[in-house]
């Protein structure tokens, strides 16, 4: 039954993606589930509730991308007209096309568009929007924005300004949590004034410590420090990132709990004093303090710990009279002791996994509560049905620090919606641009199953069938994480990635990648029955023998026997030149391969099991001759500094003639609102500086030369 509920949700998503709404969507759902009016469907809402419920006539979404699209979908089913705002570079964005109205609020930089309160307030007046949903990030936890809306008689889809102030300020929220008898992390309950005070406080608490923005979230403005030097550096970067992302550079310091799990509780409250906890989400797979893979429920919690965490989360929500959807985050140690981390007074990025297992549409609940309706459910009504996993698909190169941003145009884009029980929350399409101005998230990929194994298996298939061309992406990392034995066993913590990949992520090596050479074989009208080939991959050259299996080839179905380094495999593949996906069966196991590129010299790029491989496929004679071809010498990078990512130069710390030491900071590059320190690879004298603060640089651009 849980699977049927999820299928209903998918039907809704498919209908709204095609621009359908209202009766069309209801008809689609009823065809899938054979439900009648008023019966609980889709796993998370009642048909009658959104047909008859009166809330708002018009709602503005003060956000962009996938979360704006997500809010628009629920508004469509509730019969609410929507207004999208956008920057000039987002004029053709998907959320702009989905909304009933769209208005430009400024140029690309967020400070001049999505954070421009004056411009947004003007749009609200112009369009006569009655309510505003802020999504997450941007102005979603800005008390001044909520206050200005209230003064104009516009409803803010979120908690009131008191709750935003209390919970949005990490210092104040920690004091409130203590008073509400919520477990808290030891630390300094005040604002850190400068780097010297940060060092003093860190010494008193005891290393390691966590330095983080008081008004922050999403991993921005956070640094771990293990000594005085790292504390000074962390204070500088955290304050700069906090000011850039949130307009507030205040910092706090607390004890860093080493090797914890990050588990959060979804809560929802109304204006009538009711509050519920909607179970937990496991968010321990992170890089740079930002979540990468989430799931619900957690493999780690027993019913007693779950209930204790939920009750403390609700106690905190009631302490500030919280009225909306929100999330209370905890760090949980190996003994299941849990400590309050922060409360996010907004819809969380990873909310879909909660919707899948509880049957609630959290956006709809937020809108109902904002209108003044009480919660429809009691705590005993909240179930855990099945298992859901979410992977955040980013335009990032996972081989660089687990993910440095990538920009470009999506030349080809195909979501794996044909895979059963898959949901994709995205705000892009083929032809969309990924720019340096905004978060590099491409989508949230969610799979659902009756149990964890089923959900993970579907995630494997979904990742293999996800086609993204034109930018680097992190699918290789995601896929390797979800099949790693430790992850499968539930043996995870926030240090999972650095522990599993201490030297950085390198990708997966698998002999099965040789199967792509099937495309090099002239199957049409060929009289040959065997081929001897060589495949070059990295530093290795592998002899490969291929022979026909049967008397003839079918133009669409090819069956062959492949021998790689003495290992024999039976391979059957289906050909479809119009599809970027190639289905291959290897000794009875079905696999999906993506061919990314190929040229006449045999250079081929493919994606297999999430990893991209660059290989060269040659005949035996060509392989013998290739050893005589001169190879291009690798560039000596010890005397130069190139930008590892596209971004903006925030600061340059050297000038020509300066002497620098190995590891010394040369400049700072900001990309997607994260600041990155670029350091010298060796000790030497600066020969030339090719950038200045304010410059925009691309990946590989020369920044500084040493003599």
């Amino acid at each position: 039954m849980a699977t049927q509920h999820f299928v209903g949700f998918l039907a809704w998503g498919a209908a709204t993606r095609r621009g359908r709404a209202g009766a069309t969507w209801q008809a689609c759902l009823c065809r899938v589930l054979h439900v009648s009016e008023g019966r609980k469907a889709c796993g998370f809402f009642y048909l009658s509730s959104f047909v008859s419920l009166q809330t708002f006539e018009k709602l503005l979404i003060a956000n962009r991308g996938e979360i704006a699209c997500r809010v628009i979908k629920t508004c469509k089913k509730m019969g609410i007209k929507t207004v999208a705002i956008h920057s000039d570079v987002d004029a053709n964005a998907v959320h702009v096309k989905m909304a009933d109205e769209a208005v430009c609020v400024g140029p690309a930089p967020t400070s001049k568009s999505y954070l421009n309160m004056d411009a947004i307030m003007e749009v609200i007046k112009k369009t006569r929007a009655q309510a505003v949903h802020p999504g997450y990030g941007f102005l979603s936890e800005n008390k001044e924005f909520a206050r200005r809306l209230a003064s104009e008689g516009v409803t803010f889809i979120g908690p009131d300004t008191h709750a935003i102030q209390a919970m949005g300020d990490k210092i104040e929220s920690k004091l409130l949590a203590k008073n509400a008898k919520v477990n808290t992390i030891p630390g300094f309950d005040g604002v850190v004034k400068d780097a010297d005070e940060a060092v003093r406080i860190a010494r008193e608490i005891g290393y390691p410590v966590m330095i983080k923005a008081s008004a922050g979230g999403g991993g921005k403005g956070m640094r771990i420090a293990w000594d005085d030097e790292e504390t000074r550096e962390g204070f500088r970067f955290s304050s700069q990132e906090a000011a850039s992302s949130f307009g507030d550079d205040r910092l706090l310091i607390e004890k860093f709990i080493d090797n914890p799990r990050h588990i959060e509780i979804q809560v929802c409250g109304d204006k009538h004093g009711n509050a519920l906890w909607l179970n937990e989400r496991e968010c321990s797979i992170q890089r740079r303090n930002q979540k990468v893979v989430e799931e619900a429920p957690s493999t780690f919690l027993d019913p007693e710990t779950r209930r204790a965490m939920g009750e403390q989360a609700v106690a905190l929500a009631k302490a500030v009279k919280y009225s909306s959807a929100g999330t209370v985050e905890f760090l949980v140690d190996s003994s299941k002791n849990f400590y309050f981390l922060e409360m996010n007074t907004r819809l969380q990025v990873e909310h879909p996994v909660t919707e899948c297992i509880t049957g609630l549409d959290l956006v709809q609940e937020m809108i109902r509560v904002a209108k003044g309706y009480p919660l429809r459910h009691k705590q005993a009504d909240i179930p855990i049905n099945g298992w859901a996993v979410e992977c955040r698909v980013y335009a990032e190169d996972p081989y660089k620090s687990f993910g440095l941003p990538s920009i470009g145009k999506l030349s080809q884009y195909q979501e794996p919606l044909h895979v059963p029980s898959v949901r994709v929350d995205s705000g892009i399409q083929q032809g969309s641009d990924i720019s340096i101005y905004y978060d590099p998230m491409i989508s949230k990929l969610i799979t659902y199953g009756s149990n964890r194994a089923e959900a993970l298996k579907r995630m494997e298939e979904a990742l293999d069938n996800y086609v993204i061309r034109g930018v680097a992406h992190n699918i290789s990392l995601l896929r390797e994480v979800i099949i790693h034995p430790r992850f499968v066993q539930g043996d995870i913590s926030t240090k999972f990635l650095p522990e599993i990949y201490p030297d950085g992520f390198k990708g997966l090596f698998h002999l099965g990648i040789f199967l792509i050479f099937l495309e090099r074989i002239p199957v049409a009208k060929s009289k040959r029955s065997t081929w001897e080939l060589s495949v070059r991959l990295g530093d290795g050259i592998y002899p490969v023998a291929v022979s026909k299996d049967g008397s003839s080839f079918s133009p669409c179905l090819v069956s062959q026997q492949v021998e790689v380094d003495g290992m024999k495999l039976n391979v059957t593949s289906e050909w479809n030149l119009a599809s970027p996906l190639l289905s291959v069966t290897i000794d009875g196991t079905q696999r999906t391969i993506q061919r990314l590129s190929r040229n006449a010299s045999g250079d081929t790029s493919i994606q297999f099991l999430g990893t991209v491989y660059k290989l060269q496929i040659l005949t035996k004679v060509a392989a013998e001759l290739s050893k005589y071809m001169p190879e291009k010498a690798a560039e000596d990078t010890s005397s130069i500094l190139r930008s590892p990512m596209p971004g903006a130069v925030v600061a340059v710390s050297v000038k020509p003639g300066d002497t620098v030491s190995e590891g010394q900071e040369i400049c700072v590059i900001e990309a997607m609102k994260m600041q990155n320190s670029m350091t010298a690879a060796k000790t030497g004298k600066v020969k030339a500086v090719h950038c200045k603060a304010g410059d925009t640089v691309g990946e590989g651009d020369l920044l500084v030369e040493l003599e």
Side-chain angles (χ1 to χ4, degrees):
M1 191 61 185
T3 301
Q4 290 177 314
H5 290 168
F6 191 72
V7 169
F9 174 79
L10 300 176
W12 163 64
T16 52
R17 278 179 182 276
R18 298 186 181 95
R20 302 173 185 171
T24 303
W25 178 87
Q26 296 175 47
C28 175
L29 177 63
C30 290
R31 282 199 302 271
V32 175
L33 295 185
H34 306 290
V35 298
S36 58
E37 184 82 4
R39 179 181 172 187
K40 187 175 183 181
C42 241
F44 66 82
F45 62 87
Y46 292 85
L47 287 174
S48 59
S49 67
F50 71 82
V51 172
S52 60
L53 185 66
Q54 297 299 313
T55 53
F56 305 100
E57 293 181 6
K58 186 181 290 188
L59 182 148
L60 181 142
I61 300 100
N63 217 299
R64 66 179 298 278
E66 67 85 12
I67 189 58
C69 296
R70 166 69 187 90
V71 174
I72 291 171
K73 287 179 181 179
T74 288
C75 287
K76 283 183 181 292
K77 80 178 186 188
M78 295 180 72
I80 302 172
K81 292 182 179 180
T82 53
V83 180
I85 61 170
H86 63 89
S87 64
D88 53 7
V89 298
D90 272 346
N92 295 314
V94 174
H95 77 282
V96 172
K97 298 175 181 178
M98 287 181 65
D100 297 295
E101 301 175 57
V103 183
C104 182
V105 289
T110 56
S111 61
K112 299 178 180 180
S113 52
Y114 296 103
L115 291 174
N116 187 343
M117 275 190 261
D118 290 338
I120 296 172
M121 293 302 298
E122 191 61 35
V123 174
I124 293 169
K125 292 178 183 178
K126 177 182 176 181
T127 60
R128 298 184 179 179
Q130 300 169 317
V132 173
H133 197 300
Y136 54 75
F138 294 136
L139 297 172
S140 62
E141 295 178 283
N142 189 300
K143 65 180 182 298
E144 176 61 19
F145 183 54
R147 186 196 64 76
R148 289 184 64 173
L149 290 174
S151 68
E152 296 291 334
V154 178
T155 302
F156 179 73
I157 309 297
D160 61 24
T161 53
H162 166 67
I164 296 174
Q165 165 67 34
M167 292 294 99
D169 187 313
K170 290 183 174 60
I171 297 168
E172 185 176 350
S173 67
K174 189 172 181 180
L175 293 173
L176 281 166
K178 283 184 176 180
N179 292 335
K181 302 197 179 328
V182 177
N183 305 342
T184 58
I185 301 170
F188 176 69
D189 299 327
V191 178
V192 184
K193 297 176 182 177
D194 53 38
D196 289 336
E197 185 177 34
V199 169
R200 179 183 62 78
I201 293 170
R203 289 175 177 174
E204 291 175 358
I205 296 173
Y207 288 111
V209 297
M210 173 69 81
I211 305 168
K212 59 185 181 181
S214 175
K220 297 177 178 65
M222 297 177 66
R223 291 289 190 282
I224 300 168
W226 296 81
D227 54 39
D228 291 356
E229 182 180 349
E230 290 186 1
T231 298
R232 293 183 185 278
E233 184 180 79
F235 181 89
R236 177 165 67 96
F237 282 124
S238 292
S239 59
Q240 290 173 354
E241 285 180 5
S244 173
S245 298
F246 315 113
D248 185 344
D249 63 358
R250 293 176 303 143
L251 302 177
L252 62 89
I253 298 180
E254 60 190 20
K255 181 69 176 177
F256 174 64
I257 298 178
D258 199 14
N259 213 37
R261 286 175 178 259
H262 184 132
I263 300 176
E264 60 192 29
I265 300 292
Q266 176 72 56
V267 297
C268 195
D270 61 24
K271 300 179 187 296
H272 304 274
N274 304 306
L276 304 172
W277 51 274
L278 310 179
N279 301 311
E280 79 279 4
R281 294 186 289 259
E282 173 74 70
C283 308
S284 298
I285 306 300
Q286 304 180 5
R287 53 97 175 93
R288 298 193 299 277
N289 297 311
Q290 289 183 306
K291 303 160 190 172
V292 180
V293 179
E294 300 104 344
E295 60 182 307
S298 168
T299 61
F300 190 62
L301 297 190
D302 53 59
E304 291 75 21
T305 306
R306 177 179 295 115
R307 184 181 306 107
M309 293 176 70
E311 289 174 351
Q312 286 198 18
V314 165
L316 182 59
K318 288 185 174 181
V320 292
K321 299 180 180 179
Y322 195 84
S323 57
S324 190
T327 299
V328 181
E329 300 189 349
F330 294 93
L331 292 181
V332 185
D333 67 20
S334 58
S335 300
K336 296 183 181 177
N337 298 306
F338 56 91
Y339 305 92
F340 171 70
L341 183 62
E342 64 183 5
M343 182 175 188
N344 293 311
T345 58
R346 53 170 168 80
L347 189 66
Q348 202 82 328
V349 176
E350 57 274 16
H351 74 274
V353 292
T354 296
E355 292 181 330
C356 290
I357 69 163
T358 62
L360 296 174
D361 178 343
L362 294 180
V363 175
Q364 185 185 13
E365 295 302 316
M366 294 177 76
I367 294 172
R368 292 184 72 262
V369 166
K371 186 62 177 177
Y373 290 99
L375 295 176
R376 295 174 292 175
H377 307 288
K378 302 296 183 183
Q379 190 62 58
D381 299 332
I382 307 303
I384 297 181
N385 287 329
W387 210 284
V389 179
E390 174 180 292
C391 285
R392 299 193 190 188
V393 181
Y394 283 104
E396 293 180 336
D397 185 347
Y399 304 101
K400 297 178 179 178
S401 301
F402 297 111
L404 291 185
S406 172
I407 63 172
K409 185 183 289 291
L410 289 169
S411 57
Q412 192 169 10
Y413 183 75
Q414 182 177 305
E415 296 174 348
L417 296 174
H418 61 284
V419 178
S421 299
V422 166
R423 167 178 169 178
V424 183
D425 282 14
S426 67
I428 48 89
Q429 61 187 1
Q430 189 163 302
S432 293
D433 287 307
I434 307 296
S435 75
I436 65 171
Y437 298 106
Y438 311 117
D439 189 271
M441 182 186 288
I442 293 174
S443 73
K444 299 180 308 197
L445 177 63
I446 306 102
T447 56
Y448 176 83
S450 59
N451 53 51
R452 188 169 186 258
E454 189 175 281
L456 289 176
K457 189 65 179 175
R458 285 172 176 163
M459 182 60 75
E460 286 184 51
E461 187 178 358
L463 289 169
D464 286 345
N465 283 270
Y466 206 149
V467 178
I468 304 171
R469 311 283 168 81
V471 296
H473 54 75
N474 66 333
I475 284 181
S476 56
L477 174 64
L478 296 172
R479 199 190 188 290
E480 194 163 335
V481 166
I482 65 166
I483 64 172
H484 193 279
R486 271 189 56 181
F487 181 83
V488 173
Q489 294 165 12
D491 178 17
I492 60 177
S493 74
T494 56
K495 299 179 85 174
F496 179 88
L497 290 180
E499 284 179 352
I500 299 301
Y501 312 107
D503 300 320
F505 179 66
K506 305 298 183 184
L508 181 70
F509 181 85
H510 198 289
L511 283 176
I513 57 95
F514 295 117
L515 302 174
I516 197 63
F517 64 69
L518 296 174
E519 296 185 82
R520 292 282 296 164
I521 301 172
V523 297
K525 300 181 180 179
S526 174
K527 295 181 179 180
R528 298 184 60 183
S529 60
T530 61
W531 293 263
E532 290 187 348
L533 303 172
S534 288
V535 176
R536 182 192 297 271
L537 176 64
D539 296 328
I541 298 178
Y542 302 86
V544 180
V546 183
S547 59
K548 285 185 183 180
D549 182 10
S551 59
S552 64
F553 280 115
S554 163
C556 295
L557 184 64
V558 181
S559 183
Q560 300 167 333
Q561 186 176 83
V562 182
E563 184 174 340
V564 183
D565 268 357
M567 180 175 66
K568 293 184 178 181
L569 301 168
N570 293 310
V571 180
T572 301
S573 63
E574 294 184 14
W575 293 68
N576 182 354
L577 298 179
S579 173
L581 304 172
L582 174 64
S583 178
V584 177
T585 301
I586 309 168
D587 281 349
T589 300
Q590 192 277 331
R591 296 292 188 187
T592 299
I593 296 175
Q594 297 187 34
R595 188 188 69 181
L596 307 181
S597 64
R598 189 188 70 186
N599 60 29
S601 64
D603 295 328
T604 301
S605 179
I606 67 166
Q607 182 175 310
F608 181 57
L609 299 181
T611 298
V612 174
Y613 297 92
K614 294 181 179 179
L615 53 148
Q616 190 176 43
I617 304 168
L618 302 170
T619 64
K620 187 176 182 179
V621 173
E624 287 293 323
L625 295 175
S626 68
K627 66 180 66 173
Y628 301 106
M629 297 293 290
E631 294 185 5
K632 182 180 179 180
E635 181 181 39
D636 179 11
T637 58
S638 63
S639 298
I640 61 173
L641 177 64
R642 294 187 182 277
S643 178
M645 76 206 94
V649 180
V650 174
V652 179
S653 308
V654 299
K655 61 183 183 299
D658 286 355
T659 298
V660 297
S661 302
E662 181 180 350
Q664 180 179 331
E665 181 178 287
I666 299 293
C667 63
V668 176
I669 305 292
E670 183 176 283
M672 276 81 169
K673 298 184 285 186
M674 296 292 287
Q675 294 194 359
N676 304 272
S677 176
M678 304 291 104
T679 59
K682 69 175 186 179
T683 300
K685 182 177 288 187
V686 177
K687 177 181 178 181
V689 177
H690 298 278
C691 64
K692 62 182 183 300
D695 284 356
T696 298
V697 296
E699 182 179 354
D701 284 0
L702 183 62
L703 303 175
V704 176
E705 290 181 87
L706 302 181
E707 292 182 355

